[in-house]
Amino acid sequence: MYAEALVEGGAAARDLGEALRLAGFSLPSLYGDLPTITDKALVHLGGASAELVRELAAWIRERA
């Protein structure tokens, strides 16, 4: 059960990482993580500077 969720989280993290790179962004600590409270796959998004997060937020807002 946890192994499948970890694989799914890793795949989702890679997918988001590729999409972010296409947009010129990189989250250095992006990775799939083990489920905690639920059995659902998780993705850890931490490790980005405040400057990078603000740039990403502005980029998303411009395209939303």
Side-chain angles (χ1 to χ4, degrees):
M1 175 192 295
Y2 285 123
E4 290 175 15
L6 187 57
V7 169
E8 176 62 24
R14 283 189 300 279
D15 190 33
L16 179 58
E18 290 171 10
L20 287 169
R21 277 188 290 284
L22 288 173
F25 296 96
S26 176
L27 297 178
S29 297
L30 181 66
Y31 62 89
D33 205 355
L34 289 172
T36 52
I37 297 172
T38 70
D39 293 337
K40 295 184 179 186
L42 298 176
V43 176
H44 181 79
L45 300 172
S49 68
E51 178 183 8
L52 174 63
V53 170
R54 286 189 176 113
E55 289 175 19
L56 180 56
W59 188 90
I60 291 169
R61 280 189 197 97
E62 290 171 4
R63 286 153 182 81

